[in-house]
Amino acid sequence: MEKIVLLIPIIPIVIAFMLMFVSKKERIPRVSIFLSSMIALLGLYGTYHVIRTDTVIEGFGGLLIYNELSAILIPYVAILGLVIRKYATKYMWDEAGYKRFFILLNFIFSAIYLLIMSNNLIVLALAWQLLSISLYLLVSFNVGSDTAVKNARWIMIIHKGADLVFIFAVILTYKTFGSFDLAVLSAQWLEMSASPITDPMIFVIGLLYLLAALMKSAIMPFHIWLPYTSEAPTPVSAVMHAGVANVGGILLNKMAYLLLLAPGVLNIAFGIGLITAILATVIMLTVSDIKRSLGYSTVGQMGYMIMEIGLGAFSLAVYHLIVHGIFKATLFLESGALIKLARHESNLPKRLSYELFWEEKLKSKASKIFNYLAFLTIIPIVVFIGVKMVLSEEFFDFNASIIILAFGWLTGTQLFLSFFKVSRTETFKVVVALISSFIIILFTYEFVGLALEHFLYHEHARLFYEAATLNITLLMAVIILVVITVVGWLFMYKQHFIDVEGTQKASKIEWMFYRFLAKEGYFFSIIKRIRKGGKL
Amino acid sequence: MSAIIVLLLAGGVPYYLLLEKFTPLKSKHIFLLSGLLLLGAVVSSLYIPSGHTTSIVVIALISAIFSIYRATKTTNFYKLGYYLVFVNAPFFLLFEDQGAEYSLSLLLSLIGVFLTAQFYEKNYGSANYHHITGITLATPCIGTYLAFYLIALALYPPFPNSIFFLSYIFESEPSVLWYIVVSTIFFGNFLLAMRVMRKTLFGRENPTIHYVHMTVKEKIIHSIVIVLLLTLSVLGLKEMLL
């Protein structure tokens, strides 16, 4: 009975074929939504089964599997798919190619389900490629728009590159380990991790999977396809930012046991993820186009996700991709309603946070507030580390936890400050809010992260942290923590609390740096010059 | 000697350069001729299996790269069709023992392109697709069929070209030449198909052109080609996965 769950990747294709024969326009979304809700129900049933019986559902000769990872991701994708379809029902109504849109949407969801549920590297390779072509056709949905079609080319080129890299990785995996079956391979990799690994080919294979994941997840320098494809219809943007960009993280989770054997790859992932997270976030703040800004925001978040994987926190990356997906999809899908509301009011719609914090009073003394804030926001971290040191020493064995914690807190605070437009005069409220954000991050990482870790990887989760550890001393880890916290805090302070009257004129070097970021590293200027045959 | 014959039959040397200069032959005839010769190579490979030397594959590879270049300069479906035969020649020569199914898939997708070319010739005066943009919205039916053929040629699943391509490369032993050939075929086909996609399926409708819809008969013929392609896909998937 439970094997019916394995039909999930096939159902969207059936829906797509059924839609071809639906002639009445209003029936298209109805059929699509009704049958997609079946997928969501099947997904929830599968998750219930996996949790209740503690067994995975396997079928089609071992090609598909509904395991712990699927149990978390399939209901998420299915519900997201439902919301997007519902949203698209009215949003896309006046667009030419209404039926084509729903058909393509079903194909892309089929590819995502197949990717999550595949237990075979060949099936994974097919899903990986199916995703690329479906995405291209969806992004260039507005066929009459030159810019949409032109920018969609970046998707094709980068994703095709990812496809080839992935195929090479699969071939080398088969040549080295002799199987395409992921469950068999994972068991083999886990067994091998008990003894030291000397085969350089394993490192190469791990690196190829990482490269493929980086390309699909828009990690720098392969990020260009994401910020420039915002011209696609809003539901497509939601799919891209909340679904497609996450597949890199999903792939690396599927290959988690392989990466145990190649700690160097994890360290590289950490480095690239870190650079992407910082650089994309800074570019996000400098680009003038709001849609591109959102694109860079996703790139930054994907950077975080890859960084978490690089630190061995695979399950946390899964949590991150779900939370980010929900958040970003909400942002995209809410944008239309927000614009509509804004047209009726002189100011943007006010929210509780807006009412609480927004009133700007320039008379205050920034330095005094800074002292308060610095004191009261760094204290929670110091207290937490002290308590951890006493209660669980092993926390410090893996510097990953410390780095994740620091970044998590910084992200939470940054998000809070930029999202809610906090006033610098409301010191008490700001401090309370910052401490609250810290508690939320702490709760998430300590409880949700651990629970997911236990569910996904059982007792093996610790092995990933061991493999990914950067082999630095406790002192070094604490120094890094302090540096991240202080530098991050200063950055935020300068951004959000700097005294307007006392602002100094930027130096030439600062302007150059700003221009560099605002022009996204002159990437497109260089491309244009090359095309025109001009000098660089 | 047999190697040279197979090289010629499979399109390992750009003999179209000579044929293009021979005035009585049109691009349509070159397309048909190269397709038939490739079919001959496929059939002969089933009866006389033989491995080929590296030098033969290298010659075909150089020819393929040249053909990719030539294909980027054309906007004619017939020309595109026979260039694609030459682009895929090194793959056939590298995997000759098993390459028959891939070449059959290629030929089947090219039949689709040929039918599209005929449709264009009949309704727009020539098989040239230049300026006949935005067919996705203007003539959705031919747009859909062409999209299928181009996706198949660009080596994307679920079409058999991709399935057999993957099937061979997963089973074979990689070498430097192998990597070069596989990458060239993988990107060569993709770039050409995507280029055509951009210039035909996408773009604004051209107001100076009267777009023509397919007849029922044409739709049936194209549907048969698609069904055959998907049947090959099922066979390929069975071969690869089970």
Side-chain angles (χ1 to χ4, degrees), chain A residues 148-165:
Chain A
V149 174
K150 205 171 153 188
N151 290 331
R153 264 191 306 172
W154 286 108
I155 287 191
M156 275 326 283
I157 293 166
I158 293 172
H159 282 241
K160 194 68 177 175
D163 294 346
L164 188 65
V165 171

Side-chain angles (χ1 to χ4, degrees), chain B residues 49-71:
Chain B
S50 60
H52 289 292
T53 54
T54 309
S55 54
I56 293 287
V57 180
V58 170
I59 291 168
L61 180 67
I62 294 165
S63 158
I65 294 167
F66 177 70
S67 300
I68 292 172
Y69 169 74
R70 289 290 297 243

Side-chain angles (χ1 to χ4, degrees), chain A residues 96 100 122 126 129-130 133 136 140 143-144 146 149 153 156 160 163-164 167-168 170-172 174-175, chain B residues 136-137 154-157 166 169-170 172 178-179 183 186-187 190 194 197-198 202-204 237 240-241:
Chain A
R100 179 164 51 95
I122 297 175
L126 293 175
Q129 293 184 77
L130 200 57
I133 187 69
Y136 176 62
S140 44
V143 292
D146 288 341
V149 174
R153 264 191 306 172
M156 275 326 283
K160 194 68 177 175
D163 294 346
L164 188 65
I167 289 168
F168 284 160
V170 171
I171 292 166
L172 291 177
Y174 182 64
K175 300 291 166 208
Chain B
T136 304
L137 294 176
L155 297 179
Y156 278 108
L166 289 181
I169 64 173
F170 283 151
S172 60
W178 182 97
Y179 278 110
S183 307
F186 194 75
F187 278 114
F190 159 75
M194 287 301 130
M197 204 180 258
R198 194 160 40 86
F202 303 144
R204 286 191 201 92
L237 277 173
M240 185 162 64
L241 295 170

Side-chain angles (χ1 to χ4, degrees), chain A residues 74 159 170 224 274 278 306 308 310 412-413 419 431 434 441 467 497:
Chain A
I74 294 288
H159 282 241
V170 171
I224 286 300
L274 182 67
I278 295 171
I306 295 294
E308 283 161 354
T413 316
F419 206 59
V431 170
L434 287 178
I441 294 292
F497 298 101

